C-alpha cells in the first residue's frame, strides 16, 4: 500500500495529490458548480442569441430587443466569470501541488 502512494501519476505522486485534496476538499465540488454554471449560461446565451436574431428579423412574436440583449449580456458575463473562476481554481491547485512536491 505504501508503495502505491509513492508511485508517480504524471508529475506528482499519489501521496502528493491526496495531500492537496485534503487541503482543498471542496475543490472538485467548486469546479463542478462553476462548470455547470458555464454550461447553463452557454445554453441561455444560445437561446438569447436566437431570440435576438428573431427580433432583428422582425418576427412578430419575437421578444423585445432590449430584453434579448440584456439576457445575452448576463449570460455572457456568467460564462466569463465561470471561466475565470475555473482558471483561478485550477492554478491554485497546481500551486499547492508544486509546493507540496517540494516538501512544504
Amino acid at each position: 500500500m505504501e508503495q502505491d502512494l509513492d508511485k508517480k501519476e504524471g508529475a506528482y505522486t499519489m501521496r502528493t495529490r491526496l495531500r492537496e485534496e485534503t487541503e482543498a476538499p471542496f475543490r472538485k465540488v467548486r469546479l463542478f458548480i462553476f462548470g455547470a454554471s458555464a454550461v447553463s449560461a452557454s445554453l441561455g446565451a444560445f437561446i438569447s442569441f436566437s431570440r435576438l436574431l428573431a427580433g432583428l428579423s422582425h418576427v412578430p412574436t419575437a421578444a423585445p430587443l432590449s430584453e434579448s440583449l440584456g439576457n445575452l449580456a448576463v449570460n455572457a458575463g456568467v460564462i466569463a466569470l465561470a471561466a475565470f473562476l475555473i482558471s483561478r481554481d485550477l492554478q491554485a491547485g497546481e500551486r499547492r501541488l508544486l509546493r507540496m512536491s517540494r516538501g512544504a
Side-chain angles (χ1 to χ4, degrees):
M1 181 74 176
E2 187 75 25
Q3 294 170 346
D4 290 342
L5 291 177
D6 292 327
K7 188 187 303 183
K8 281 211 177 231
E9 286 185 15
Y12 305 106
T13 64
M14 180 63 84
R15 181 183 307 275
T16 304
R17 290 184 183 280
L18 289 172
R19 282 184 54 209
E20 190 272 334
E21 191 168 341
T22 59
E23 276 196 17
F26 297 109
R27 179 173 161 236
K28 288 186 171 57
V29 173
R30 283 192 310 267
L31 288 174
F32 175 78
I33 290 171
F34 298 154
S37 297
V39 169
S40 175
S42 296
L43 180 61
F46 174 74
I47 292 169
S48 295
F49 185 70
S50 298
R51 291 175 76 187
L52 181 66
L53 287 178
L56 290 173
S57 301
H58 304 293
V59 174
T61 59
L65 287 178
S66 60
E67 180 183 326
S68 296
L69 275 174
N71 289 341
L72 186 61
V74 167
N75 287 317
V78 170
I79 293 168
L81 179 64
F84 170 74
L85 291 173
I86 288 170
S87 172
R88 196 182 90 190
D89 209 345
L90 289 174
Q91 289 172 357
E94 187 63 31
R95 283 192 305 267
R96 268 191 303 276
L97 281 170
L98 186 60
R99 177 180 50 90
M100 288 178 181
S101 69
R102 291 180 180 162

